[in-house]
Amino acid sequence: MAYRPARLVAVILFVLGLLLPAGVPAGAEPAKSVFTVGVTQDVDSLNPFVGVTAAAYEIFQMVYPTLTEYGAKDFSIQPGLAESWTESPDKTFWTYKIRPGLKWSDGVPLTAKDAAYTFNRIINGTFEKVNYGNYVGNITKAEAPDDTTLILRVDKPSPIMEKLAVYILPEHVYSKIDETAIQSFKDEPTDGKPVVGAGPYLTAERQVGQFTRMVANPNFYRGKPAVDEVVFKFYANPDALGQALRKGEIDYADSLESNVFDSLADVPNIKRLSAVYSGFNELAFNTGAATIDNKPIGDGNPLLKDKRLREAIGWSIDRKALVEKVLGGHGSVGSTLIPPMYADWHLSPPNEVSYDPDKARSLLDAAGYPLGPNGVRQDATGAPLKFRLFGRSDKAASKKAVEFIKNYLADIGVETTVTLIAEDALTEKIGQGEYDMFEWGWVVEPDPGYQLSTFTCDKRSYEDGGSIVANLSDSFYCNPEYDALFTAQSTETDPAKRIEIVKQMQQILYDDWPYAITYYYDNLVAYRSDRFEGFIPQPAPDGSYLFQYGTWTYENLKPVQAADSGQAGGGLSPAVIGGIVAAAAVLGALA
């Protein structure tokens, strides 16, 4: 039977349709590119005035811009919303020139008036100062004489006016939410519409404990990102995170446990990075919970007000063992508040504490805490050295660390009862002073001011309408000498002099023991190299790709393009190409 030309064409099209990848139907939208990030920490709040976790701040900086930004290479200051900035000759105000023609994602113009509104709300607010008060300490007023000019008036010179990590908020949205309502405002998508923002991505959907979905912002001033969506998918099990990357369920795995990280060493199409990072972990003490008005709160064990006891505990901790057994060697022994990653600011203490349980026992003996008949030390009244120790149930490293710490303390006659709870619940307990000790950590900004502020007296919890509201202090440390130095560094514009003050402050904290800092950790990450490219480290060359101070990777990320086909996600396989050639020969013979 002979083929007619029309039937031959149909056969050719049918065979090629089987062999070639499915195309995009006429008039249909092309498939979206979605970058899925696996995380082990869920967002605690999408409201920039409420959220405190690293996961929350990653979202904040994707949605809301800042006046300036930290560069990817070396944290140098780069333009953000402001194209330029100058200090007045008399040092009483700063002028920022805002980019013209900006828009919020809903089309409303973004102007200097939004920036002035944001700063004034923090300056004049109380709750709003919890996360951002340190940045406006010397700022008295914000003004916007026109759409592209922001003036920040100061009552004294300030060294951080180029480094104001304050997220600029849309006035037409936030002005409708007063200071009481802001404490419970979720800032989540409603009616199927993304939140209003001006960063590279907008929050489009959130399922608590499951995922947060971000969509590219077409109005972003540096241009819409190449990747259409970024999804943060939450995994409570670290092993499940590694398996998800292997199976291709996610494209990037952040904050991996060391055993999972090591297991991915030889997996095809997966690349790993043990990134230097600015985080530290600590054993924190309740040094005497009280409000900023010195009103005692909570139920902390009063024995921990004794610095000698806290110091003895500090000597009992084997930090090298924690680095090896908890971090798998991916970190270093902790000492002072500012990590070594920031070499200019970091203090290497001359009296560095090491693991010495015998010294710890001697300190306890000298402080008047003898061993009781049951092997637990006691004070002069017979009260036992028995404390509550909280760990985070949603962090595998924390669960490991508190067990080691419990054993270290037992070895010197200090008894602890370990309780594991979620980070959100622990945050609440800390703010109310309802703890003795806990294990957690911080991620430290390139400028040390914010981190140093968390130990000042006015960062303790405060009372509002009969309720206790948590502030940034989680140890309730209060020392007038430290506060005086904090004030001094916040107005010192000579870099060398400011560095010296900051190191003095670190030494005071080191000697007073509100924390026993345990380790500085690397950020262990892995990603699918066959799917996405364009990762930007901060700092170069071996810093982290995500959870940076900025959105450099998100803006540069793109799907992998096959060199021979130009198709995202890889081109045709050799087998398919060979099949097409063979089919062409057969069809030619049929013709």
Side-chain angles (χ1 to χ4, degrees):
M1 179 178 177
Y3 282 97
R4 296 176 183 175
R7 294 187 68 185
L8 178 61
V9 170
V11 171
I12 293 172
L13 292 176
F14 174 73
V15 174
L16 290 177
L18 292 176
L19 293 171
L20 290 170
V24 179
E29 291 290 332
K32 292 181 179 179
S33 55
V34 181
F35 179 58
T36 304
V37 182
V39 295
T40 56
Q41 183 187 64
D42 197 12
V43 174
D44 57 334
S45 174
L46 293 174
N47 179 347
F49 289 125
V50 175
V52 296
T53 63
Y57 273 83
E58 188 75 344
I59 302 294
F60 300 159
Q61 66 180 359
M62 294 172 75
V63 176
Y64 300 112
T66 51
L67 295 178
T68 61
E69 301 178 10
Y70 287 107
K73 182 179 179 180
D74 56 5
F75 300 112
S76 59
I77 300 303
Q78 306 291 324
L81 278 190
E83 293 181 306
S84 62
W85 47 91
T86 56
E87 185 180 18
S88 64
D90 62 359
K91 300 185 182 299
T92 61
F93 65 91
W94 284 68
T95 302
Y96 301 81
K97 297 305 294 183
I98 306 300
R99 299 172 187 270
L102 299 178
K103 291 182 179 180
W104 292 102
S105 57
D106 60 356
V108 174
L110 191 172
T111 71
K113 293 179 174 61
D114 292 290
Y117 164 79
T118 302
F119 277 96
N120 283 327
R121 175 151 194 173
I122 298 169
I123 292 167
N124 300 321
T126 300
F127 183 79
E128 291 87 344
K129 280 189 173 73
V130 171
N131 283 354
Y132 305 99
N134 174 66
Y135 305 113
V136 303
N138 297 335
I139 303 174
T140 59
K141 186 179 181 181
E143 302 170 1
D146 57 59
D147 286 352
T148 60
T149 304
L150 171 69
I151 296 174
L152 297 180
R153 300 196 178 277
V154 296
D155 57 3
K156 55 182 71 68
S158 175
I160 65 168
M161 297 301 287
E162 298 174 314
K163 298 177 281 188
L164 299 171
V166 173
Y167 300 110
I168 306 305
L169 304 173
E171 181 178 10
H172 65 287
V173 174
Y174 271 79
S175 61
K176 301 174 184 177
I177 308 164
D178 64 24
E179 184 167 1
T180 300
I182 199 67
Q183 299 181 34
S184 58
F185 177 55
K186 294 184 177 181
D187 199 20
E188 294 185 5
T190 57
D191 301 325
K193 297 180 180 179
V195 299
V196 176
Y201 284 89
L202 310 169
T203 312
E205 185 179 4
R206 184 193 180 201
Q207 294 292 330
V208 177
Q210 298 182 47
F211 67 88
T212 303
R213 182 170 65 90
M214 317 291 292
V215 295
N217 178 13
N219 288 341
F220 181 51
Y221 63 86
R222 282 199 288 259
K224 181 182 178 181
V227 176
D228 297 305
E229 296 186 0
V230 176
V231 175
F232 295 95
K233 191 173 181 180
F234 174 71
Y235 290 85
N237 184 333
D239 293 325
L241 182 60
Q243 288 300 319
L245 188 66
R246 288 173 181 266
K247 295 176 182 178
E249 295 174 5
I250 59 176
D251 305 301
Y252 187 101
D254 188 77
S255 299
L256 288 165
E257 294 295 314
S258 59
N259 62 320
V260 178
F261 179 81
D262 294 339
S263 74
L264 297 170
D266 300 315
V267 180
N269 298 319
I270 290 180
K271 289 188 177 180
R272 305 177 308 150
L273 174 68
S274 182
V276 296
Y277 204 53
S278 58
F280 71 82
N281 275 39
E282 86 279 347
L283 173 65
F285 303 104
N286 186 336
T287 65
T291 66
I292 56 176
D293 298 321
N294 295 315
K295 177 183 177 181
I297 59 173
D299 57 5
N301 192 317
L303 293 177
L304 284 171
K305 294 180 181 180
D306 187 348
K307 180 177 70 174
R308 300 170 301 172
L309 170 57
R310 303 195 301 266
E311 180 183 2
I313 291 174
W315 283 94
S316 75
I317 299 173
D318 190 344
R319 293 165 178 78
K320 289 183 179 179
L322 291 178
V323 170
E324 292 300 320
K325 296 177 181 179
V326 175
L327 301 181
H330 297 286
S332 59
V333 169
S335 56
T336 51
L337 192 67
I338 309 300
M341 178 178 176
Y342 304 127
D344 289 342
W345 300 106
H346 172 69
L347 170 70
S348 295
N351 57 335
E352 187 165 359
V353 173
S354 61
Y355 173 54
D356 192 339
D358 287 334
K359 181 176 179 66
R361 296 184 191 101
S362 297
L363 289 171
L364 290 171
D365 289 339
Y369 298 108
L371 279 174
N374 60 351
V376 177
R377 292 180 180 270
Q378 55 191 30
D379 69 0
T381 68
L385 270 59
K386 184 176 181 179
F387 306 105
R388 296 164 296 170
L389 171 58
F390 287 100
R392 293 166 289 152
S393 60
D394 33 17
K395 280 292 182 180
S398 182
K399 292 190 284 188
K400 293 178 185 177
V402 290
E403 289 301 325
F404 282 111
I405 292 171
K406 175 181 179 179
N407 292 330
Y408 295 147
L409 270 60
D411 189 41
I412 62 171
V414 176
E415 184 177 349
T416 54
T417 301
V418 170
T419 302
L420 299 175
I421 61 175
E423 288 184 339
D424 287 355
L426 182 53
T427 298
E428 181 65 24
K429 279 190 170 293
I430 293 169
Q432 302 300 313
E434 297 171 350
Y435 71 97
D436 298 326
M437 296 183 282
F438 67 86
E439 191 279 340
W440 209 332
W442 289 86
V443 179
V444 183
E445 294 181 12
D447 187 273
Y450 181 92
Q451 196 62 53
L452 295 171
S453 75
T454 65
F455 290 93
T456 57
C457 299
D458 63 2
K459 289 300 181 183
R460 294 174 294 174
S461 298
Y462 64 92
E463 199 165 3
D464 182 21
S467 299
I468 301 299
V469 181
N471 210 320
L472 289 178
S473 177
D474 56 8
S475 65
F476 294 92
Y477 178 76
C478 181
N479 181 343
E481 179 188 2
Y482 178 89
D483 281 17
L485 288 172
F486 178 79
T487 299
Q489 68 81 33
S490 69
T491 59
E492 181 54 73
T493 55
D494 183 299
K497 292 180 180 178
R498 186 173 179 231
I499 286 172
E500 182 57 34
I501 297 172
V502 167
K503 289 185 175 181
Q504 290 180 46
M505 297 174 71
Q506 291 178 75
Q507 186 66 57
I508 289 175
L509 294 175
Y510 194 70
D511 294 338
D512 279 358
W513 293 96
Y515 285 177
I517 294 176
T518 50
Y519 52 70
Y520 309 113
Y521 58 89
D522 295 341
N523 188 22
L524 306 182
V525 305
Y527 67 95
R528 299 286 308 215
S529 58
D530 57 335
R531 293 189 178 176
F532 289 92
E533 59 188 0
F535 295 92
I536 305 295
Q538 186 191 46
D542 52 1
S544 192
Y545 291 147
L546 301 183
F547 293 86
Q548 306 172 331
Y549 292 99
T551 55
W552 305 113
T553 285
Y554 299 114
E555 294 180 44
N556 286 275
L557 199 66
K558 59 184 179 180
V560 168
Q561 301 289 326
D564 56 354
S565 71
Q567 281 196 308
L572 302 179
S573 70
V576 173
I577 294 172
I580 293 171
V581 172
V586 172
L587 293 171
L590 288 173

